[in-house]
Amino acid sequence: LGEGEAERDQFHRLASIYGLLSELKKVGVPAESPDRAQTRRDDEVIVKDCMEYINRHFGEELTLTFLAQRACLSYHHFSKLFKKYSGSNFKDYLNHVRVNKARFMLKNTRVPITDICHSCGFSEHKHFIAVFRKYHDMTPTEFRKNCLLAATQNLTHPSPDGGHRQLALSY
């Protein structure tokens, strides 16, 4: 190659490199390293494991500190990861799980509300009522009454001859 041709060839290579860099910048997403992707999967697994732990042990005293130590992470790092992968903060998630279990028990058992409160992990009855009201816009007592009322209204159905027949309620 002559001197002029070598310079043009070098210029074309540089132009191609700049063109490629420009296209990469347009995409705007840097390539993710395999280590970073693996770390993200590991973080997600840790949070899912903790969520499963909460679902199994909701009736016990659970704290973010305990779960962070269980996951071998700092309190703040675990808190951020939990929020990122669960979609809510630890306390909201725990309360949601506890209220759902309480709701099931209120609807399907005759266990006193105070006992339900304690078996679902709430240490104070007033706190249980406040959290339940936050999720359902009514107290646990009102919820149970509504469930009983709905069940009684469903007990009587019109029969083909125009009368009513009673259906047995099973517990």
Side-chain angles (χ1 to χ4, degrees):
L1 292 174
E3 191 176 317
E5 288 179 37
E7 285 179 13
R8 269 192 304 247
D9 190 42
Q10 188 177 8
F11 177 75
H12 285 292
R13 280 191 218 142
L14 281 174
S16 296
I17 290 172
Y18 284 124
L20 181 60
L21 289 173
S22 174
E23 291 300 313
L24 286 174
K25 186 176 181 181
K26 286 179 190 174
V27 174
V29 180
E32 185 172 69
S33 71
D35 291 343
R36 186 175 173 137
Q38 182 62 43
T39 300
R40 191 158 38 245
R41 280 191 294 277
D42 292 345
D43 290 346
E44 190 173 355
V45 168
I46 288 169
V47 172
K48 283 183 179 182
D49 176 62
C50 286
M51 291 170 72
E52 289 173 11
Y53 186 88
I54 291 168
N55 292 338
R56 286 190 312 270
H57 299 275
F58 63 89
E60 301 170 15
E61 183 180 333
L62 294 175
T63 64
L64 185 62
T65 301
F66 168 76
L67 290 174
Q69 289 172 346
R70 186 176 179 274
C72 300
L73 297 171
S74 75
Y75 176 94
H76 295 290
H77 183 64
F78 179 74
S79 178
K80 287 178 186 176
L81 285 180
F82 192 89
K83 172 90 173 172
K84 178 179 179 181
Y85 291 107
S86 74
S88 63
N89 66 41
F90 163 74
K91 199 56 142 175
D92 286 342
Y93 182 81
L94 178 60
N95 283 335
H96 181 73
V97 169
R98 287 176 170 173
V99 165
N100 279 342
K101 180 62 177 174
R103 204 177 108 208
F104 177 83
M105 292 176 73
L106 289 165
K107 186 175 182 179
N108 298 302
T109 71
R110 294 181 185 215
V111 174
I113 292 173
T114 304
D115 293 345
I116 291 173
C117 162
H118 294 295
S119 70
C120 290
F122 291 98
S123 56
E124 295 180 18
H125 189 76
K126 286 169 78 172
H127 180 62
F128 170 57
I129 292 170
V131 171
F132 194 93
R133 186 186 302 264
K134 174 183 172 186
Y135 287 99
H136 297 290
D137 293 327
M138 64 180 80
T139 66
T141 303
E142 292 167 339
F143 179 83
R144 179 174 265 173
K145 284 181 184 176
N146 287 345
C147 290
L148 289 173
L149 181 62
T152 9
Q153 288 175 347
N154 290 333
L155 285 179
T156 42
H157 296 282
S159 62
D161 62 359
H164 285 74
R165 62 185 175 150
Q166 289 285 75
L167 301 176
L169 183 65
S170 60
Y171 285 96

